[in-house]
Amino acid sequence: MKKWLGLFLLSLITHAAFSQPNISPLLADSLKRTLTEAKEDTNKVLLLVELTRCYTSIDSDVALQYARQAKALANRLDFVKGKIAVGIAEGFILAHTNEYASGLAILMDTRRLAERFGTPQETAVILANIAFIYTMSKDNTKAAEYLEQAKIIQKTHPIADIHLTLGVIYQEMGRLDTALVYLHQAYQTGLKYQLPTYVTSSAYFLGTAYAASGQTDSAMVYYRRTLAWNQKFNIAGVNARAYQGLAKVYKDKNQLDSTLFYGKRAIEENGNHAYHLPTLIEASTLLSQVYEQKNNQREAFHYFKIAMAAKDSLTIQEKNSQIKKLAYEEEEREIRTKRRIEANQAAFQRQLQVYALSGILGVVALLAFILFRNNRQKQKANNLLHRQKEEINRQHEKAEKALIALQATQNQLIQSEKLASLGELTAGIAHEIQNPLNFVNNFSELSIELAKELKVERLKSKEERDEELENELVDD
C-alpha cells in the first residue's frame, strides 16, 4: 500500500511539486525533439527538468535519467536555479518511490540552496516533500515539524498547489479531518485554474480520505468525479485507481458483485503507467479474495496467479531499479572523484598562480621600493640642489648688491678724490694767488710803515733828521 501510494502520488501531484499542470506524452515527444537541437547551456537544463516532469507519471526510471542529466549539466554550468529545480524533481521522484534516504538527502541539499538563492515557494514545496518522506517513514513528529515550516511560508507567500501535498500527508498521519480540509482546498484550486492532474488527484484522494473515515457515500462521489474529470483529461492510470477505490468501497459494503465489476474494470483500464504493477497487484488480490469468498476457487486462483506474477515483476523492477541506482551511485562517485581530482588540480594551479603572483608582486614591490628609494634620494638631491641654487642665487644677489654698493662707494670715492684733487688744486691756485697778494699786502704795509717812518723823519728838524735812515727808507 505504501509503495502504491508513493507511486500514485508521484504521478498525480506532479503539479504540486513542480508547478507543471499538464503531463502529456505528446509534450514529452515535443520536448525530446527540441532537446536534440539544444546547446549545452542553462536552457538545456530547464528543458531536461521539463522532460523529468513529463516522464514522472509515465516512467519514473526515465524521469530519473533526465533529472540526472539535468543535474550533471547544472553542476557543470554552476547554474543555481537549475540545481534547485532538478533537486526538487529528483528528490520528489525518489521520495515517492520509497527511496526515502536518497530523496531526503537530495531535498535537504536543495533546501539549503533554495533558502539562499531560491524563492520562498520553492522552499515550501521542498519542506512539504520532506514532511511527506517523514510521514511515510512513520516519523510524524519530524513530519509535523517540517509541515509547520511549510505552512509558515504559506502564510506570507501563498502556494495554492501545496494543499494537495498537505492533505495527503495529514491523511497518512491519520488526521483525516485536517486532510479533508486541505484536499477540498486542492480540489477547488484545480477547478479554478483547470489543472488536470490537480483536479483528478485531489478528487481521488478525497475519495480515499472519505473511505478511510467510513464515509463511503462521499468516497464513492469523489471516485466517480475522478472518473468524470478524467474523461476530459485522459490521464493514464487515473481511471484504474478510481475503479479500484470503488471496488474497495463496495467490498466494505459487502456488495461483492459490484466489487468484482469495478475490480475487473481497474485491471482493464490499468494500461501502461508508472504505477501499473502496484495497481494490478492490489486489484487482482482483491478479486482473488472476493472469488474465494464466493467459493469460486478457479477464478480466485487465476487472479492470485496474476497478483503473484505482478509481484514478481515488481520485485524484478525494484531490483533493476536498485541495479540502476547502484550504477548511478558508482557513476556519481566516479564523477565526484574526478571532480575532486580536478578541484585539487585547479586548487594546485591556483596555488601556483598565487605563488607566482606573490613572487611577481614581491619583485614589483622590491622594484617599487628601489624606485621609491631612488626617487626619494633624487628628491632629496633635487631639494639640496634647489636649496644650493637658492643659496647661490641669494649669494649672487648679495654679491650683486655688494658690487653695486661697491661701485657706488667707488664712484663716491672717485668723486671724493676728484673733489679733493680739485680742492687741492683750488687751494694751490688760491695759495699761489694768495702769495703775491700777501706779498703786495706785506709790501704795501711795509711801504706804508716806511712812508710813515719817512714822514716822521721828514717832519723832524733838520738837526734831528737822519738822512741816512731816510735814504734807506727811500731805497726800501
Side-chain angles (χ1 to χ4, degrees):
M1 175 63 184
K2 185 188 294 185
K3 175 68 174 179
W4 169 79
L5 176 62
L7 287 170
F8 188 60
L9 188 63
L10 169 65
S11 172
L12 292 183
I13 66 172
T14 302
H15 175 68
F18 305 130
S19 297
Q20 173 62 41
N22 295 310
I23 301 173
S24 165
L26 293 177
L27 176 60
D29 291 339
S30 174
L31 290 173
K32 283 196 293 185
R33 286 193 296 272
T34 306
L35 183 65
T36 59
E37 302 174 358
K39 297 180 180 179
E40 296 289 303
D41 56 14
T42 56
N43 289 328
K44 186 173 182 179
V45 174
L46 299 177
L47 185 61
L48 287 166
V49 171
E50 289 303 312
L51 275 166
T52 301
R53 296 172 180 175
C54 286
Y55 274 97
T56 294
S57 64
I58 301 170
D59 189 329
S60 60
D61 289 335
V62 174
L64 277 175
Q65 290 177 10
Y66 282 121
R68 286 160 180 170
Q69 289 179 38
K71 181 179 180 180
L73 183 56
N75 286 333
R76 196 159 62 248
L77 298 174
D78 196 23
F79 179 34
V80 178
K81 286 293 183 183
K83 290 179 184 180
I84 294 171
V86 75
I88 294 173
E90 186 182 8
F92 179 82
I93 295 170
L94 293 172
H96 295 82
T97 52
N98 286 1
E99 298 291 342
Y100 298 142
S102 300
L104 184 61
I106 289 171
L107 288 170
M108 286 295 190
D109 289 340
T110 307
R111 176 194 175 187
R112 284 188 283 271
L113 275 179
E115 286 176 342
R116 291 182 61 193
F117 307 109
T119 65
Q121 289 84 349
E122 287 171 330
T123 302
V125 169
I126 293 167
L127 290 168
N129 281 287
I130 291 173
F132 175 81
I133 290 176
Y134 280 116
T135 301
M136 301 306 290
S137 302
K138 303 303 179 185
D139 189 346
N140 290 344
T141 303
K142 276 285 188 183
E145 177 185 332
Y146 284 98
L147 201 56
E148 188 60 32
Q149 292 179 43
K151 288 167 66 178
I152 289 172
I153 296 176
Q154 170 81 351
K155 290 177 182 178
T156 54
H157 299 82
I159 312 165
D161 58 8
I162 203 174
H163 294 137
L164 180 56
T165 305
L166 299 178
V168 173
I169 292 172
Y170 280 118
Q171 183 177 340
E172 282 299 305
M173 288 181 175
R175 296 170 60 179
L176 296 177
D177 291 339
T178 306
L180 286 168
V181 170
Y182 281 109
L183 290 172
H184 275 292
Q185 289 178 355
Y187 185 65
Q188 293 303 318
T189 298
L191 293 177
K192 181 178 179 180
Y193 296 105
Q194 285 294 292
L195 307 176
T197 57
Y198 219 61
V199 172
T200 54
S201 60
S202 56
Y204 172 79
F205 279 106
L206 277 167
T208 61
Y210 278 120
S213 63
Q215 302 179 58
T216 55
D217 291 338
S218 295
M220 293 174 67
V221 168
Y222 280 100
Y223 283 139
R224 294 186 189 283
R225 286 186 182 179
T226 303
L227 292 167
W229 279 110
N230 204 46
Q231 285 183 354
K232 178 180 178 180
F233 300 132
N234 195 28
I235 299 173
V238 171
N239 286 349
R241 295 317 306 164
Y243 284 131
Q244 177 59 24
L246 285 169
K248 288 176 66 178
V249 170
Y250 280 115
K251 186 176 184 299
D252 291 339
K253 287 186 170 187
N254 203 30
Q255 297 181 21
L256 301 184
D257 290 338
S258 295
T259 303
L260 291 174
F261 173 79
Y262 285 110
K264 290 177 181 179
R265 290 296 303 272
I267 293 176
E268 290 170 4
E269 294 281 344
N270 200 21
N272 185 22
H273 48 85
Y275 42 90
H276 164 75
L277 290 175
T279 303
L280 181 59
I281 291 169
E282 190 171 350
S284 56
T285 300
L286 182 63
L287 288 171
S288 177
Q289 291 171 353
V290 172
Y291 275 116
E292 186 174 0
Q293 192 174 345
K294 292 173 72 71
N295 293 320
N296 189 339
Q297 299 301 325
R298 180 181 175 183
E299 290 297 318
F301 183 66
H302 170 70
Y303 285 106
F304 177 77
K305 286 196 300 182
I306 293 175
M308 289 302 100
K311 286 181 180 179
D312 290 340
S313 297
L314 186 59
T315 301
I316 293 171
Q317 190 180 79
E318 289 175 348
K319 287 181 179 178
N320 289 336
S321 296
Q322 288 294 326
I323 291 171
K324 289 179 181 178
K325 178 186 175 184
L326 291 172
Y328 171 73
E329 289 176 349
E330 182 61 30
E331 183 181 349
E332 282 285 290
R333 278 194 294 271
E334 290 178 0
I335 292 172
R336 285 195 295 269
T337 301
K338 183 179 178 181
R339 284 178 184 163
R340 279 197 298 271
I341 292 171
E342 290 175 351
N344 290 335
Q345 289 176 345
F348 179 70
Q349 291 295 328
R350 287 194 298 271
Q351 197 67 32
L352 286 179
Q353 291 174 356
V354 169
Y355 289 147
L357 183 60
S358 299
I360 293 170
L361 289 175
V363 172
V364 170
L366 180 61
L367 290 174
F369 174 74
I370 293 171
L371 291 174
F372 175 75
R373 187 182 65 179
N374 290 340
N375 186 50
R376 288 291 301 274
Q377 290 176 346
K378 185 176 179 181
Q379 285 181 347
K380 288 180 180 179
N382 288 337
N383 290 335
L384 180 61
L385 289 173
H386 182 69
R387 288 195 298 272
Q388 289 176 345
K389 184 178 179 181
E390 288 181 346
E391 183 64 25
I392 290 170
N393 289 336
R394 284 197 298 271
Q395 294 297 330
H396 181 70
E397 290 176 359
K398 189 175 180 181
E400 284 183 348
K401 289 179 180 179
L403 178 61
I404 292 170
L406 182 62
Q407 288 175 344
T409 304
Q410 186 179 12
N411 290 336
Q412 288 177 354
L413 289 173
I414 291 170
Q415 291 296 329
S416 297
E417 287 180 359
K418 286 182 179 179
L419 290 174
S421 298
L422 182 60
E424 289 178 0
L425 178 61
T426 304
I429 293 171
H431 179 71
E432 292 298 328
I433 293 172
Q434 187 69 27
N435 285 338
L437 287 175
N438 290 333
F439 175 77
V440 171
N441 289 333
N442 292 333
F443 181 75
S444 298
E445 290 176 358
L446 180 60
S447 296
I448 291 170
E449 287 179 0
L450 289 175
K452 286 180 179 181
E453 287 180 5
L454 180 60
K455 185 179 179 180
V456 171
E457 287 294 329
R458 291 287 180 121
L459 290 177
K460 288 179 179 182
S461 61
K462 192 173 178 176
E463 294 87 5
E464 291 178 351
R465 294 175 57 179
D466 186 354
E467 291 180 4
E468 184 179 353
L469 179 60
E470 287 178 2
N471 292 329
E472 184 178 352
L473 290 169
V474 171
D475 289 335
D476 291 334

